[in-house]
Amino acid sequence: MKSRLMMAGLVTGSVMGALVGCQNMEAVSPWVDLGNQVAKNAGYDTDSRLARAIKDTLSASTDRASTGLSQQGAFHLQLPPSAQPVANSLRQFGFGSYVDQLEAAMNRGAEQAAVEAAPVFKQAIAGMSVNDALGIIRGGDTAATEYFRGQTESALRARFQPIVEANLRKTGFYDQYKSMLAVYEKLPIANKPAMDVERHVVDSSMATLFTRIGEEEALIRKDPVARGSVLIGQVFGEG
């Protein structure tokens, strides 16, 4: 038994040494598989512990993304391009403050909505199977981002929409805007540009959020040792 543990520790140490020299997740993956197999051969069930390590790393990354975007000034949203001619006309006639107020409400709504992303991501991570977690570390460059998008997009939309609406209502002319939008959408005009500010804010917020998640994933894949290998090392190091 003692010799088996020593052998497992020796090979595991070699694996972790190789991990330190790796520069990206593509290089790390074969060593993760090798170390995992060595540990299994030594009698250790490492799949579930390795999955927990990956989950912990992803949880920290999604927390960083949502927290960063919840800070004031994190978003720089403007009215949709189709509404810019109207916004420019309002500014020309001295009503620019209304445009500024509306865009400020859009950005505050996006920031507040970003806070709601954290528990949604945590729920997705909690429901992640061992195979899901291992598939992410062995997957393509955007495997984690694609997983989160597939698992959370509808829930995020449901949480974001009322927050965005509440902030737009603070402008005092939300009802007038909705009435105008209802009339506009009934006009018999082909290929009408989108004028729905709420949808624009939700879509833009989610696009920015998943872009940030993608940036976090890129950091993990570029330098897995710094971003997550302490946890992964604990899985292999217990031998």
Side-chain angles (χ1 to χ4, degrees):
M1 177 67 177
K2 184 176 180 181
S3 61
R4 188 183 69 170
L5 291 177
M6 289 177 63
M7 181 61 69
L10 177 62
V11 178
T12 297
S14 299
V15 170
M16 292 310 296
L19 277 174
V20 172
C22 293
Q23 296 300 311
N24 53 57
M25 191 67 76
E26 182 180 357
V28 168
S29 184
W31 292 106
V32 169
D33 290 337
L34 175 59
N36 204 17
Q37 189 58 53
V38 168
K40 286 180 180 178
N41 292 342
Y44 298 97
D45 175 19
T46 56
D47 274 356
S48 59
R49 284 178 290 171
L50 179 56
R52 285 199 300 271
I54 296 166
K55 286 184 177 185
D56 287 348
T57 302
L58 294 176
S59 181
S61 297
T62 52
D63 278 348
R64 283 192 294 268
S66 59
T67 299
L69 290 176
S70 68
Q71 305 303 309
Q72 186 165 341
F75 288 89
H76 303 281
L77 302 182
Q78 296 181 322
L79 288 168
S82 55
Q84 287 303 322
V86 177
N88 293 338
S89 296
L90 288 171
R91 292 188 186 283
Q92 289 176 2
F93 287 97
F95 296 100
S97 61
Y98 290 100
V99 178
D100 294 338
Q101 185 181 354
L102 180 57
E103 291 186 340
M106 290 164 53
N107 284 281
R108 297 298 84 76
E111 293 157 7
Q112 292 172 22
V115 177
E116 294 293 309
V120 175
F121 286 133
K122 287 188 182 300
Q123 185 175 5
I125 292 169
M128 189 181 289
S129 70
V130 171
N131 286 337
D132 288 336
L134 296 179
I136 285 173
I137 198 172
R138 295 170 181 145
D141 291 344
T142 59
T145 306
E146 290 168 4
Y147 179 86
F148 284 127
R149 186 182 290 276
Q151 294 293 316
T152 66
E153 189 163 11
S154 60
L156 288 173
R157 285 187 180 279
R159 285 178 176 248
F160 281 22
Q161 198 281 330
I163 295 173
V164 172
E165 177 183 331
N167 276 272
L168 292 177
R169 283 188 178 280
K170 293 177 182 178
T171 62
F173 47 85
Y174 178 83
D175 291 336
Q176 293 90 327
Y177 149 71
K178 294 296 285 186
S179 297
M180 179 197 72
L181 183 62
V183 172
Y184 173 77
E185 290 181 344
K186 291 180 181 179
L187 293 176
I189 302 173
N191 301 318
K192 287 184 295 187
M195 294 286 285
D196 191 329
V197 173
E198 283 178 71
R199 184 180 302 172
H200 171 69
V201 175
V202 172
D203 288 348
S204 299
S205 300
M206 291 185 60
T208 302
L209 177 62
F210 284 115
T211 295
R212 186 65 62 88
I213 293 293
E215 292 169 353
E216 288 289 340
E217 180 173 10
L219 290 173
I220 293 172
R221 293 186 183 280
K222 180 179 179 181
D223 193 356
V225 172
R227 306 297 285 194
S229 73
V230 171
L231 293 167
I232 295 174
Q234 288 175 353
V235 173
F236 291 141
E238 288 177 7

